Amino acid sequence: MTTRKAKKIEELADYAALKKFAASLWQVDSGFHGAAVMVGAGFSRCAATAGDAGKRLPLWGNFSTLLAQEMESTSTTDPLRLAEEYSAYFGKQALHDLVVREINDSAWTPGPLFNSLLELPWTEVLTTNWDTLLERAAQTVNDPVYSIVRRQEELSSACSPRIVKLHGTINVTDELVFTQEDYRRYPHRYATFVNFSRQVFVENELCLIGFSGDDPNFLQWAGWVRDQLPVHARRIYLAGALSLTSAKRKYLESINIAPIDLAEVVAEFDDRELRHFEALKIFLDTLKSLRPTPTWKWEPTSLHPKHPPDDYLRKSAEDPSYAASLFKEHLPTLEADRTSYPGWLICPRTVRSQLLSQISAPFPNPKNMAGLDADSKTKLLYEIAWRRRTAFDAIPQWLCAELVKICDPAVRNVLTRKQQLEIALYLLNSTRWMDEAESNEIGKRTTAILEANLPHWPELAAELVFHQAVVARDGLDYTALEKLTESLPELDSAWKMRKASLLSEVGRLERAEELLTEAYRDLSAQHRNDRNSIYVFSRLAWAHWMLRGTSMRTHIPSESFPAIYDESKCNPFDEI
């Protein structure tokens, strides 16, 4: 028999659904509420271990066969009907004893797969299993900490995330949900559980694992969801090595089930138990791998080779053509890093060092950049200028001369008009640190360029006024500073903060505090709507710090500055 070649999980048609579910699980933005999981018997069968390696926890098919044998019945197709007949014939307690005996809960130990499942950030964990494996596994998981709910009355006192035992627990609850009558009466007898589950389904994406498409628990709960939430029901995900036919997939989709069929990923395993185990392991590992990196962890790519050739330093310093080839090789990475920069108002000190390190491998100069074609050279100059501006690094004279050549949109090049204007503004702002002759020359030239292009960048007029105001402040010309500050537009929260800082310089503290209060209020609202935005959060941190400073004119704050800005590298005290 030929072993089928397994696909990579990224090659599956269902990988898009898996990524969509992972985005909800990790709540990648405010549009996602979270994800819950419902765990079926198939998961315990795959993930539990016992002293006897050949033993497996029973599934519905195993119970059907056993019940049919004891009743000498020939039908094994409907386990709920068989359980009902068995209960009617031998009594409810006999059925309960059979379940306890066959599962033999104490003989089983949670395997590593349980930890892999419970370490994910589920909003809730629901299970139809009668065993205690999930509860026992939860005792070894420190984050998150789960509350255990075995009875309906425990729901009100248990904190999320919870492990909720929907169908009873061996040796704990008096009844186990098993027979046809149990399922018929479930919505009435266990109304609290049904209402809780309905709320979970409304608020979260739900994934079912350890179920097959024919599992009675799966069919019953999917039906209750459709009955209770016919219009607004979220799609339920069913994950595992399902081996779905086209007809079966179509049926599942028709009842609002999105299958994530991993059968093709584990096709090489001919052992059924091992195939299902590997499918669950791959599913959980993939969910973990799809966790997005927090925005504040952004770092520019290191362009220094980990294992450089022996002559790397010498050649990059002495051979202009070799250095030029390195520059061209690095350009795509430099561009990608710039566009993915999270947008800190003040770039963190560690990140500034890393940005400058990117343009030191090798160090650029007119000689080694001469080997680049015109477009590549222009692009590289823009990347260098952006990094120096972001890192508040002084501009060397040679770079100033090169940037002047490419900053005028009247002379078009590979850069966008806005990128050319950014360079012109960077040069203008840098004149404050140049000698007088150079400062006057470049200042006049760049000012003329910027004034000629005001319609192409809405903030340009404000940038020019702000630059003039800062120059007046540095020259102690407070009359001009006050006049320029009054004319500075309040385009957004950051501009309100800029204007407030200049108003403080001329003693207009009340108006400065008003602007900072407005900025803080607006940024707080934006942060509530976009929790992952470093662009917003860093500006909120500075507005908070500046507002705290202006308020000291009337009272000294008794509380310390909050630490919520530390992790995201937004705390102003790191820069002061």
Side-chain angles (χ1 to χ4, degrees), residues 115-424:
N115 288 64
S116 297
L117 171 70
L118 294 177
E119 286 169 356
L120 292 171
W122 306 108
T123 55
E124 307 287 358
V125 177
L126 315 179
T127 181
T128 56
N129 294 347
W130 300 312
D131 59 65
T132 64
L133 290 163
L134 277 169
E135 301 98 296
R136 285 184 276 152
Q139 295 175 0
T140 66
V141 175
N142 296 320
D143 186 25
V145 176
Y146 290 92
S147 304
I148 310 300
V149 177
R150 300 180 179 90
R151 299 178 179 87
Q152 295 184 97
E153 56 268 24
E154 296 172 354
L155 267 175
S156 60
S157 59
C159 298
S160 296
R162 293 164 282 201
I163 296 175
V164 183
K165 305 297 293 296
L166 296 170
H167 287 183
T169 306
I170 287 174
N171 299 326
V172 176
T173 57
D174 296 330
E175 293 191 4
L176 304 175
V177 176
F178 192 175
T179 68
Q180 220 170 37
E181 184 67 7
D182 291 336
Y183 279 93
R184 188 186 70 80
R185 298 177 61 191
Y186 190 91
H188 176 70
R189 294 186 62 188
Y190 297 94
T192 304
F193 274 162
V194 172
N195 290 334
F196 164 74
S197 301
R198 177 173 57 188
Q199 193 67 25
V200 171
F201 298 164
V202 168
E203 295 177 352
N204 305 275
E205 299 290 344
L206 178 70
C207 181
L208 282 68
I209 58 174
F211 295 92
S212 69
D214 301 319
D215 191 306
N217 283 331
F218 164 73
L219 295 173
Q220 292 291 337
W221 277 98
W224 287 333
V225 170
R226 292 198 307 279
D227 293 342
Q228 298 291 331
L229 307 167
V231 178
H232 302 292
R234 292 175 180 272
R235 177 162 284 197
I236 298 173
Y237 296 85
L238 176 64
L242 307 174
S243 300
L244 297 175
T245 62
S246 298
K248 188 68 175 179
R249 176 179 287 274
K250 191 71 175 176
Y251 164 71
L252 291 174
E253 291 172 347
S254 72
I255 59 173
N256 206 33
I257 305 294
I260 301 175
D261 191 353
L262 305 177
E264 292 180 298
V265 178
V266 292
E268 61 185 299
F269 298 99
D270 56 2
D271 181 275
R272 183 177 182 276
E273 306 296 341
L274 184 58
R275 185 165 63 249
H276 284 286
F277 172 84
E278 289 295 331
L280 287 170
K281 183 177 184 300
I282 290 169
F283 175 70
L284 296 175
D285 287 348
T286 303
L287 286 180
K288 186 176 180 180
S289 71
L290 288 172
R291 178 180 185 177
T293 302
T295 314
W296 53 265
K297 283 191 173 182
W298 181 90
E299 290 183 346
T301 308
S302 175
L303 298 179
H304 293 271
K306 292 182 180 179
H307 305 289
D310 293 338
D311 61 346
Y312 171 77
L313 292 176
R314 181 189 60 79
K315 284 186 68 178
S316 60
E318 299 176 5
D319 185 346
S321 60
Y322 179 70
S325 68
L326 292 176
F327 290 142
K328 194 156 188 174
E329 180 184 325
H330 295 164
L331 259 179
T333 303
L334 292 172
E335 292 173 351
D337 283 353
R338 171 176 49 78
T339 55
S340 65
Y341 177 70
W344 282 284
L345 180 62
I346 303 296
C347 182
R349 186 176 286 107
T350 54
V351 179
R352 296 202 296 265
S353 298
Q354 292 169 314
L355 286 173
L356 294 176
S357 177
Q358 284 191 309
I359 51 176
S360 65
F363 284 102
N365 58 59
K367 185 178 179 181
N368 58 22
M369 292 179 68
L372 291 169
D373 61 87
D375 285 354
S376 296
K377 181 180 178 181
T378 301
K379 288 180 180 180
L380 179 62
L381 285 169
Y382 176 74
E383 297 300 333
I384 293 171
W386 180 84
R387 279 158 178 77
R388 285 186 173 274
R389 176 166 55 87
T390 304
F392 308 109
D393 200 42
I395 183 170
Q397 195 169 18
W398 75 265
L399 180 59
C400 182
E402 293 288 346
L403 292 177
V404 166
K405 300 175 187 176
I406 64 169
C407 71
D408 189 351
V411 182
R412 302 301 296 134
N413 55 40
V414 69
L415 300 179
T416 65
R417 185 184 297 270
K418 185 172 182 292
Q419 287 174 332
Q420 288 182 281
L421 296 174
E422 286 175 14
I423 293 175

